[in-house]
Amino acid sequence: MPATLPADYEERVYAGVLGKIIGVYLGRPFEGWPNERIEERLGEIDYYVHDKLDVPLIVTDDDISGTFTFIRALEDYNCDPQLTPKQIGQTWLNYLIENRTILWWGGLGNSTEHTAYMRLSSGIDAPASGSMAVNGKVVAEQIGAQIFIDGWAMVSPGDPDQAADLARRAASVSHDGEAVYGAQVLAAMEAAAFEESDTNKLIDIGVSQIPTDSVLYQMIGDIRGWHAKHGDDWRATFAEIKANYGYDKYGGNCHMVPNHGLIIHALLHGNDDFQRALMIVNTSGWDTDCNSGNLGCLLGIQHGLSGIDAGPDWRGPVSDICYLPSADSGGGVSDAVTQATRISRMGRTLNGSTFEQPKGGARYHFSYPGAVQGFTGHECAVENRDGQNLTVRFDRLEPGTTARATTSTFVDSLDTARYFERRGYGLMASPSLSPGQTVSAALELAKTTDDAVGVAICIRVFNADDELQTLRSPTTTLEPGGKADLAWTVPDVGGYPVAAVGVSVVSAPAGGTLYLDHLDWQGTPEVTLSRLPGTMWHRAWVNGVDQYLPRRGESFRLVHNRGTGLLLHGSRDWQDYRASADITPHLVRRVGIAARVQGMRRYYALVLTDDGKAQLVRELDGTTVLAQTERALELYRTYQFEIAVRGSAITGSIDGETLLTAEDSSLVEGGVALLIDEGRTATQAVRISAV
C-alpha cells in the first residue's frame, strides 16, 4: 500500500461504485444474449435499453449484491490484511440465505457459487470449497470469481499486489484455476487505476499477477495483438476472440475465459471513452451484466466522475440506487455513496490513515458532485451539481398541496417486491428507519426565493392496503436565506414499515429552492411488530427459516427443518435496546430471541434447549455459551423471552424472571431475530424498546 492515498481517493471509489452499478444495469436486460441477437433486436448498446424490453432499470442482481456484501469480510474481521479464505467463507455463510439472497441458486454442479455454498455449509472450508479437486475444472473456472472482486481493488488504491492477493483469497472460496487468475488480473488493474491512467500499462500490471503459461495470459496477449492489427474495428477483434476463445471452447454456463476476453477487448477498443467501451462489451454479448459491471468499475476508477459524465446522462436514471439483499436485514436498500463510504473507510484503515466522516457521519451527505443518494422529487426536482448538498427546486404550491424529496428506506411497493421475486433475485429487507428513532435534517432556503416557505421532515409509511401514506413533522418556517436544523422522532405508525424519509415543502407562495445539507437518524426503536392487515408488514422481515407464515391467529409461524434458522428484522445502527417476544415451541431442539444480529452467524441470543438449559450464547465463528442455567423446555407452552443489550452487558429473562447475565463486547450493534433449531414455533408479537 502506498504511503499516501490519492487526494481524490474517496471520490474515485464513488466513481468506481457508480461505474459498477451503471454497467450492471446497462447489461442486465439482455444478459446471456449472443452478439447476433443483440445487434438484430437492439442495435449497438450505447445507452440503457430496459424500456425497449419493458423491464425496470434498477434491479436486484448478484453482481452488485455479492460485490458489496462479500467485502464485509474485511469489516467483520477488523480490516486484517491477512484475512483468510476461510474467514471470507464464513462471511458467505453469514450473509447468504440459501435459495434466497445474492446468488444464482442454480444447484449443485450447475451454479458454481451455489456449489461452493453447499460445500461450505457441509463443513468444507475455503479454499477447498471452491477447488477443482472438490468441484471439478469446469465448475471451478466459471465467471463468478471475477464479478465480486471490485471491492478488494478499491480498498487497495495504488497497490495492485495487495488487490490481487485479496482477490485471490476471496475468489478461492468458490473458484479455482483460470477463474482466480481473471479475478487477480482485474483487481490489480482496478487498484493500479487509482494512480495510472494508461490502459496498456494497466494491462501490463494485471497480467504480471498470473502465470505466463495460463490460458488468460496467452489470450490477453492475443487480444492485444488483434487490437493492434485491426485498429478501431472492434468487430474484427471480437470475431477473433469468438473463433479462438469463444463459448464453444469451454464448458459450463458462463466460463471465465471468453468473458474476461471481452473486458480486455472493450477496454482496448474503447479508447478511454466510458460510453464506447461499455457499448463494445455489451454489444459483444455473452455475460453482459457481469462484464459491463466490472469494466464500468475499472473505467470509473481510471477516469473518475468526469469520465462517466463525458457522455450521455448515465447517472440521472440510476439516482445512485442499489439493492443488496442479504441476511444483513437493514442493508437491503442502499446507494452508491453509502457503499463508497464503507469501502473508503476500509481502504484507509488498511492503509493506516484516518477516515474523515463526511458531515459528522451523516448517512445522507451528498459529498460528491452529482450524488443524490436515491432522493427523488414529488412536485419538485432534485439535483446535486457541486457535491455540497441536495438542491430541491419547487414551483408555487397550491393550498393543500406539498412537495417532497425522499429516499427509500425499504421496498417501495408490493409490485416491486413481486417483480424481483419473479426474476429470481428477491429483495428481502427490513426498513432501515423505525419508529422511536429521531431524524435530523439541515436545511437552507435560497436567498433568491421570493417568500417564506414552510418545511418539515417527512416519512412514507405503508398502510393496511399496502399503499404509501405521508406523515410529517411540525412545520418550520424559513425566510429567504434562512437555515434550520430540524429534528423529529418518528411516531408510532401501528407496526407498518417506514418506506421512505426526506423533507417536505408544506407551503410555498412563490416557489423557490431549498438546500438539504445532510439527513440522518439516531436512537433506539420503540416498536411492536405483529400481524396486521396487508402484506408489507410481513415483508419487513428477512426470512432465514424454511417456512415463515402468518397462520391461524399466529403472527409468526416459523418452521425450520435442520440447523439454525433466523427470522431477522432491524438495522446495523441499533446498539443498546431491549427485545422481547412471546414464543410457543411446538417441536424444537432450541428456541429463542437474538439481539445485535449481523447475519445468520453473528449475534447474541437467549435460548431454551431441549436438554433443559437456558443459555445466553454468542454466535461468532462458532457458538460460545456465555452463561447458562437449568430450565426445562415445555412444548406447547407460551414463554415470554426478553434479551437486553447495553454496552458489554447482556441480560436474559424468561417470563419476567432475570435468569442470565453476561459481559461480552464482540458485537456492538445489529438488529433482532427469532431463532429456531429444527422444528416449529409460534409468536404473536415482537417488541423493541429502550433499555
Side-chain angles (χ1 to χ4, degrees):
M1 183 74 77
T4 58
L5 297 184
D8 61 349
Y9 171 53
E10 282 80 6
E11 184 174 307
R12 295 275 285 284
V13 171
Y14 171 58
V17 173
L18 262 182
K20 174 77 174 186
I21 65 175
I22 289 169
V24 171
Y25 295 154
L26 177 60
R28 182 63 184 88
F30 48 91
E31 178 186 14
W33 289 21
N35 163 257
E36 295 81 6
R37 183 183 178 192
I38 292 170
E39 297 222 46
E40 178 182 350
R41 176 78 185 277
L42 301 170
E44 291 187 348
I45 308 298
D46 55 7
Y47 194 61
Y48 302 120
V49 296
H50 62 288
D51 52 340
K52 296 179 182 179
L53 299 173
D54 195 28
V55 296
L57 173 64
I58 302 170
V59 295
T60 48
D61 194 272
D62 56 341
D63 299 79
I64 294 172
S65 55
T67 297
F68 300 119
T69 297
F70 297 149
I71 189 67
R72 278 193 177 276
L74 203 55
E75 284 178 316
D76 291 346
Y77 290 99
N78 302 312
C79 288
D80 183 357
Q82 301 306 314
L83 182 72
T84 67
K86 180 178 179 179
Q87 290 172 318
I88 302 171
Q90 292 285 356
T91 301
W92 277 52
L93 292 175
N94 185 53
Y95 292 110
L96 291 172
I97 301 174
E98 188 172 9
N99 296 316
R100 296 201 181 110
T101 64
I102 299 179
L103 303 181
W104 170 52
W105 298 95
L108 184 69
N110 189 38
S111 162
T112 299
E113 294 76 25
H114 193 173
T115 301
Y117 176 84
M118 293 181 70
R119 303 307 189 202
L120 291 167
S121 59
S122 70
I124 300 175
D125 292 331
S129 56
S131 67
M132 290 185 193
V134 174
N135 300 326
K137 181 178 175 63
V138 171
V139 170
E141 290 193 328
Q142 299 300 302
I143 193 175
Q146 182 170 269
I147 68 178
F148 301 141
I149 58 81
D150 307 279
W152 306 105
M154 289 187 282
V155 300
S156 307
D159 193 343
D161 291 339
Q162 175 177 276
D165 185 41
L166 289 171
R168 175 188 58 80
R169 301 180 199 192
S172 70
V173 174
S174 50
H175 291 75
D176 202 352
E178 299 291 340
V180 174
Y181 299 155
Q184 291 178 283
V185 169
L186 194 61
M189 287 197 294
E190 289 183 4
F194 281 94
E195 296 183 338
E196 176 59 68
S197 61
D198 183 271
T199 293
N200 275 294
K201 290 181 180 178
L202 291 178
I203 296 175
D204 288 341
I205 291 168
V207 297
S208 72
Q209 299 291 334
I210 62 174
T212 57
D213 61 352
S214 63
V215 175
L216 253 65
Y217 190 96
Q218 176 65 45
M219 179 185 66
I220 292 170
D222 288 345
I223 293 171
R224 297 177 87 170
W226 294 328
H227 169 252
K229 172 183 175 182
H230 297 300
D232 285 339
D233 187 354
W234 68 265
R235 285 185 173 82
T237 300
F238 171 64
E240 304 261 26
I241 295 171
K242 187 176 179 182
N244 291 276
Y245 297 99
Y247 264 33
D248 60 314
K249 305 293 190 298
Y250 303 94
N253 296 293
C254 297
H255 200 277
M256 171 65 80
V257 171
N259 288 291
H260 188 87
L262 293 189
I263 293 175
I264 301 299
H265 163 233
L267 183 63
L268 287 167
H269 279 284
N271 300 328
D272 296 321
D273 183 303
F274 186 84
Q275 183 184 27
R276 175 175 167 80
L278 289 188
M279 179 276 291
I280 293 169
V281 82
N282 281 288
T283 307
S284 296
W286 295 337
D287 201 354
T288 48
D289 60 335
C290 297
N291 301 335
S292 181
N294 283 135
L295 181 59
C297 183
L298 172 57
L299 293 167
I301 297 167
Q302 184 181 6
H303 301 298
L305 293 177
S306 61
I308 297 174
D309 293 339
D313 179 17
W314 295 107
R315 300 171 64 186
V318 170
S319 298
D320 291 325
I321 298 168
C322 57
Y323 298 128
L324 311 177
S326 78
D328 179 33
S329 55
V333 177
S334 191
D335 64 84
V337 174
T338 297
Q339 297 311 309
T341 300
R342 286 181 49 239
I343 291 169
S344 298
R345 183 186 298 112
M346 285 184 268
R348 287 203 173 273
T349 301
L350 272 177
N351 187 57
S353 62
T354 302
F355 177 74
E356 298 292 338
Q357 294 271 11
K359 300 182 181 178
R363 58 190 83 208
Y364 301 104
H365 54 80
F366 317 110
S367 294
Y368 308 117
V372 297
Q373 294 194 250
F375 274 79
T376 57
H378 171 76
E379 300 294 340
C380 62
V382 300
E383 64 179 1
N384 174 7
R385 292 184 177 178
D386 56 7
Q388 298 296 318
N389 50 50
L390 188 75
T391 300
V392 182
R393 304 187 191 281
F394 49 92
D395 295 327
R396 177 181 180 274
L397 298 174
E398 297 295 332
T401 63
T402 61
R404 63 175 182 270
T406 58
T407 189
S408 294
T409 56
F410 182 53
V411 186
D412 61 7
S413 74
L414 182 57
D415 287 343
T416 297
R418 287 173 171 166
Y419 172 79
F420 291 148
E421 288 163 0
R422 287 196 302 271
R423 61 181 295 273
Y425 294 105
L427 177 51
M428 290 197 303
S430 282
S432 55
L433 173 63
S434 297
Q437 296 187 295
T438 299
V439 181
S440 58
L443 296 170
E444 179 180 359
L445 188 62
K447 294 179 181 179
T448 55
T449 302
D450 291 334
D451 208 338
V453 168
V455 296
I457 294 171
C458 67
I459 59 173
R460 300 273 282 165
V461 183
F462 282 104
N463 63 15
D465 297 317
D466 294 325
E467 297 172 341
L468 287 172
Q469 307 294 314
T470 302
L471 301 179
R472 294 193 302 269
S473 69
T475 301
T476 296
T477 300
L478 279 178
E479 299 292 336
K483 298 181 179 181
D485 292 320
L486 306 186
W488 181 49
T489 299
V490 178
D492 181 2
V493 293
Y496 285 102
V498 178
V501 65
V503 294
S504 181
V505 179
V506 181
S507 62
T513 302
L514 186 69
Y515 303 116
L516 173 59
D517 181 75
H518 62 270
L519 186 144
D520 198 8
W521 59 81
Q522 294 179 332
T524 303
E526 294 279 350
V527 61
T528 298
L529 303 162
S530 61
R531 186 170 187 162
L532 295 166
T535 299
M536 296 309 290
W537 71 271
H538 180 264
R539 292 177 176 272
W541 293 79
V542 169
N543 183 8
V545 297
D546 289 326
Q547 295 183 49
Y548 151 48
L549 300 166
R551 292 284 296 275
R552 299 176 187 170
E554 300 168 355
S555 298
F556 310 102
R557 175 180 290 188
L558 278 61
V559 179
H560 200 64
N561 298 328
R562 64 183 185 276
T564 301
L566 300 178
L567 184 64
L568 309 103
H569 183 92
S571 184
R572 271 288 178 102
D573 62 346
W574 296 10
Q575 293 183 343
D576 296 342
Y577 59 88
R578 185 187 315 273
S580 60
D582 63 280
I583 301 176
T584 305
H586 294 273
L587 175 66
V588 293
R589 292 186 60 188
R590 192 172 64 139
V591 64
I593 188 169
R596 291 184 179 165
V597 181
Q598 300 176 4
M600 298 297 291
R601 299 195 177 198
R602 295 173 65 89
Y603 54 82
Y604 297 117
L606 169 66
V607 298
L608 284 178
T609 69
D610 64 356
D611 61 352
K613 299 287 194 304
Q615 298 176 330
L616 280 177
V617 299
R618 180 188 68 217
E619 189 68 29
L620 184 65
D621 289 343
T623 305
T624 301
V625 178
L626 302 175
Q628 72 175 7
T629 189
E630 300 294 322
R631 183 72 178 232
L633 170 63
E634 299 178 33
L635 299 182
Y636 312 110
R637 172 186 166 183
T638 299
Y639 293 88
Q640 293 292 330
F641 280 73
E642 180 178 283
I643 184 170
V645 285
R646 183 171 184 175
S648 62
I650 310 163
T651 303
S653 304
I654 295 178
D655 294 339
E657 177 186 0
T658 299
L659 294 179
L660 299 165
T661 61
E663 292 282 334
D664 191 88
S665 57
S666 303
L667 301 169
V668 299
E669 60 186 4
V672 301
L674 295 171
L675 180 151
I676 179 173
D677 267 13
E678 299 182 13
R680 168 188 156 194
T681 66
T683 294
Q684 295 295 350
V686 179
R687 169 74 179 166
I688 300 99
S689 60
V691 178

